[in-house]
């Protein structure tokens, strides 16, 4: 933990101390190269879920957990196109996040504030989940010597310390340490656990195929009691598509995009990042292996399937190293979640007040919001953990409803502000209604509730845009915006060697 804070603070030394404006703090001055972008974005994707949730899903369900690898790999393919486009749009107009982009695209600062508030509601549960994940890891690997309550506070204090000072650059530096430990520890466990407990992978999969065959196919295991088949092919395919579209506009992903030195760094990363997904197979498979070593885990305890194997078979120092890797897998994404919430509020909400509208005041406001967001998540973890747990049910599916407003809006001029807001409202309403009534996946169809909500969102947005076009130019119409397309729409920044760059709009 000391090394983590030190790395995070050292990140600012080469950039003139802690100086620089909001862009330097929130998107690393748009100067991060391929290596730093790779470790940062890999760090965002490899969270405490990878050590805890992925192993728990492998233990409880089996094959359905592979959706994580599927959607992340597909998301990187989408990001090959979308990442450079968002990077170029933000660079041309001096923007630092998705709320900025929405406000600029539709010419409505208030809309950026609305998106910031909505995104914060969807992101806060992720901070709480990382705090909880790190607490569980630290308490487990210290054999209970560090209580959950102290572990939660350590997670908050360590992350807040370097994020406030060094911003995105600090997260990138800490990601280097995290990735070294993650690759090393998971590479070791991938070999050690199957050999130690089963004699090799052949024997492990032979037992799975013979004794637990349902864990190896969709819809997996553990979905009985009226839920058998819930995680079938329709759910797997719809969740993969939905999450692949959502991950490219997720505020933390966009922060990584905007921190890049150039568009080619993002294209190279879109090619390289899927290789990191190979590591995700390790906790998934070892979670299934735990079925034979520590049977009978139920509820939240199943998320500790991997660590039960580790604590049971390795010396304390090795458990500690693996625990640090898992803890850093909580700290890095939590840092970026806190950073983007601070940036959204500092730039798009508090800046609407004149006294907070200057560049330095926006940075200060963002840093204060970072502390506040982390503190809120920490306090709720202590006193009302179920509040954020319930919100987490709609976090990703809720964020998906911003896809038409942002992505479609940046390539299609006729999408009006009224249409975009109407679609967003309809999509959020549908996803909340389905999820909170226990209809996710959607009964009969078996598809992800967020995908159905996104379809409703898109249908409403297109219908309202068409009706608005027929009504003529109004305050909310595209025709009522006199700015040229070059000012409003995004473009794909072509490589410098392309002759088509000059004169492109």
């Amino acid at each position: 933990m000391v090394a983590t804070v030190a790395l995070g603070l050292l990140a600012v030394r080469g950039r003139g101390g802690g100086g620089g404006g909001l862009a330097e703090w929130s998107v690393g001055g748009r100067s991060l190269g391929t290596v730093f972008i790779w470790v940062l974005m890999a760090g965002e994707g490899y969270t405490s879920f990878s050590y805890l949730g992925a192993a728990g899903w492998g233990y409880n369900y089996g094959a359905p957990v592979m959706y994580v690898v599927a959607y992340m790999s597909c998301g990187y393919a989408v990001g090959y196109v979308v990442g450079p486009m968002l990077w170029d749009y933000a660079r041309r107009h001096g923007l630092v996040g998705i709320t900025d982009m929405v406000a600029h695209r539709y010419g409505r600062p208030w809309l950026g504030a609305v998106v910031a508030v909505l995104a914060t509601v969807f992101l806060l549960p992720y901070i709480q989940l990382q705090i909880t994940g790190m607490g569980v890891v630290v308490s487990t690997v210290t054999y209970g010597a560090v209580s959950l309550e102290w572990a939660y506070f350590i997670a908050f204090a360590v992350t807040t310390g370097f994020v406030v000072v060094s911003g995105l650059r600090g997260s990138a530096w800490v990601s280097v340490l995290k990735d070294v430990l993650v690759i090393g520890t998971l590479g070791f466990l991938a070999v050690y656990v199957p050999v130690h407990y089963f004699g090799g992978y052949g024997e492990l999969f032979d037992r799975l195929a013979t004794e637990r065959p349902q864990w190896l196919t969709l819809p997996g295991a553990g979905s009985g009691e009226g839920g058998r088949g819930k995680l079938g092919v329709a759910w797997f395919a719809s969740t993969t598509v939905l999450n692949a579209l959502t991950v490219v506009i997720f505020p933390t992903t966009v922060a990584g995009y905007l921190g890049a030195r150039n568009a080619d760094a993002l294209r190279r990363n879109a090619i390289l990042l899927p290789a990191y997904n190979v590591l995700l197979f390790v906790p998934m498979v070892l979670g299934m292996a735990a079925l034979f070593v520590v049977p009978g885990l139920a509820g939240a305890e199943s998320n500790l399937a991997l660590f039960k194997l580790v604590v049971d078979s390795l010396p304390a120092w090795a458990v500690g190293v693996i625990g640090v890797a898992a803890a850093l897998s909580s700290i890095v994404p939590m840092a970026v979640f806190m950073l983007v919430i601070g940036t959204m509020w500092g730039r798009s909400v508090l800046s609407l007040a004149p006294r907070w509208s200057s560049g330095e005041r926006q940075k200060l406001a963002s840093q204060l919001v970072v502390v506040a967001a982390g503190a809120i998540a920490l306090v709720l973890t202590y006193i009302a953990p179920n509040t954020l747990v319930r919100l987490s049910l709609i976090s990703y599916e809720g964020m998906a409803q911003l896809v038409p407003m942002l992505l479609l809006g940046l390539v299609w001029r006729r999408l009006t502000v009224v249409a975009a807001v109407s679609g967003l409202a309809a999509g959020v309403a549908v996803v909340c209604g389905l999820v909170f009534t226990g209809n996710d996946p959607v009964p009969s169809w078996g598809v992800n509730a967020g995908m159905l909500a996104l379809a409703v969102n898109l249908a409403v947005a297109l219908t309202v845009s068409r009706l608005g076009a027929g009504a003529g130019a109004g305050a909310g119409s595209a025709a009522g915006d006199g700015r040229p397309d070059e000012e409003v729409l995004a473009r794909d920044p072509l490589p410098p060697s392309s002759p088509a760059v000059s004169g492109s709009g």
Side-chain angles (χ1 to χ4, degrees):
M1 295 303 101
V2 172
T4 298
V5 176
L7 265 179
L9 297 179
L10 284 172
V12 300
R13 292 193 60 184
R15 308 295 295 186
L22 182 62
E24 170 62 37
W25 180 76
S26 62
V27 292
R30 310 181 200 276
S31 63
L32 302 181
T34 301
V35 173
F36 273 127
I37 290 295
W38 187 84
V39 297
L40 178 65
M41 297 189 73
E44 292 172 23
Y46 211 93
T47 69
S48 60
F49 170 84
S50 305
Y51 276 91
L52 301 175
W57 266 62
Y59 188 93
N60 290 321
Y61 304 110
V65 73
M66 300 299 175
Y67 88 93
V68 178
V69 176
Y71 94 75
M72 290 184 70
S73 298
C74 293
Y76 295 142
V78 177
Y80 184 90
V81 176
V82 172
M85 184 178 72
L86 297 182
W87 173 86
D88 178 74
Y89 191 74
R91 181 186 58 83
R92 284 190 289 128
H93 303 299
L95 311 176
V96 294
I98 64 168
T99 56
D100 259 1
M101 295 180 189
V102 168
H104 181 84
R105 159 61 178 87
Y106 298 98
R108 304 292 192 279
W110 61 264
L111 186 55
V114 170
V115 172
V117 173
L118 188 64
T120 299
V121 171
F122 294 141
L123 290 178
L124 268 178
Y126 283 98
I127 298 177
Q128 188 260 349
L129 289 174
Q130 300 310 316
I131 291 175
T132 303
M134 178 175 169
V136 169
V137 168
V138 171
S139 181
T140 301
V141 301
T142 58
Y143 303 92
V146 177
S147 68
L148 280 174
E149 289 73 18
W150 273 109
Y152 295 157
F153 180 78
I154 291 171
F156 162 75
V158 169
T159 307
T160 304
F162 73 79
V163 169
V164 168
V165 176
S166 55
L168 189 72
R169 190 177 300 278
S171 297
W173 278 51
V174 174
S175 289
V176 175
L177 173 62
K178 184 217 104 177
D179 285 345
V180 169
L181 288 174
V182 166
I183 292 171
T185 56
L186 287 183
F188 167 75
L189 290 175
V191 176
Y192 174 78
V193 170
V195 172
H196 177 75
Y197 285 107
F198 304 96
Y201 275 98
E203 291 81 357
L204 168 59
F205 281 105
D206 182 63
R207 288 195 65 180
L208 281 171
T210 303
E211 302 176 33
R212 306 292 177 98
Q214 62 269 41
W215 267 259
L216 299 177
T217 60
L218 294 175
S223 53
E225 193 62 32
R228 181 67 180 172
K230 276 189 173 182
L231 305 181
V233 174
W235 172 85
F236 191 97
S238 59
T239 302
T240 297
V241 173
L242 180 76
N243 288 10
L245 291 173
T246 306
V247 71
V248 299
I249 61 100
F250 217 73
T252 52
T253 304
V254 174
Y257 290 157
L258 304 193
R261 182 178 301 151
N262 52 52
D264 280 342
L266 296 177
R267 295 188 183 99
R268 285 192 292 270
N269 270 276
I271 296 170
L272 297 173
L273 278 169
Y276 202 88
N277 283 352
V278 173
L279 290 175
L280 287 172
F281 286 107
V282 178
M284 294 174 184
V285 172
L286 298 189
M288 289 187 274
L291 287 165
F292 305 109
V293 181
V294 282
L297 299 180
E301 194 178 23
S302 63
N303 290 329
L304 292 174
L306 174 59
F307 279 93
K308 294 282 187 182
L309 301 179
V310 170
V311 172
D312 177 66
S313 63
L314 291 173
W317 67 266
V319 172
V321 172
I322 295 169
V324 169
L328 289 180
S329 294
S330 296
I331 289 173
V332 171
M334 180 166 61
V336 185
F337 286 132
M338 293 166 66
L339 178 74
V340 298
I341 289 176
T343 302
M344 289 189 299
W345 279 75
R347 184 63 173 252
S348 300
V349 181
L350 300 179
S351 64
L352 298 179
R355 64 173 297 183
W356 294 102
S357 60
S358 67
E360 278 303 316
R361 300 287 284 180
Q362 286 181 16
K363 179 182 176 181
L364 176 60
S366 299
Q367 291 170 323
L368 293 175
V369 172
V370 163
V371 179
I376 290 171
L378 177 66
V379 170
L380 289 177
T381 301
Y382 285 135
I383 66 175
N386 290 335
T387 300
L388 289 179
V389 169
R390 283 186 62 80
L391 281 176
S392 71
L393 296 175
I394 61 167
S395 289
Y396 223 89
E397 295 168 355
M399 283 298 303
Q401 307 314 311
L402 291 172
V403 169
M405 176 179 282
L406 183 60
L407 290 190
L408 182 60
L410 287 177
V411 298
W412 191 47
R413 183 69 183 269
R414 291 176 61 187
L415 183 66
T416 67
V417 62
V418 174
V421 172
S422 299
L424 175 63
V428 171
V430 170
V431 78
C432 288
L434 289 172
V435 171
F436 289 137
T437 57
N439 291 305
D440 183 23
V442 179
S444 301
W445 299 348
V447 300
N448 188 301
M451 178 60 78
L452 179 60
L454 183 60
V456 172
N457 180 341
L458 186 59
V460 170
L462 293 176
T463 301
V464 175
S465 287
R466 185 173 180 84
L467 293 175
S477 69
D481 188 342
R483 295 175 296 170
D485 285 352
E486 291 80 2
E487 178 70 14
V488 176
L489 300 179
R491 65 188 183 190
D492 182 20
L494 299 175
S497 59
S498 172
V501 170
S502 59
S504 65

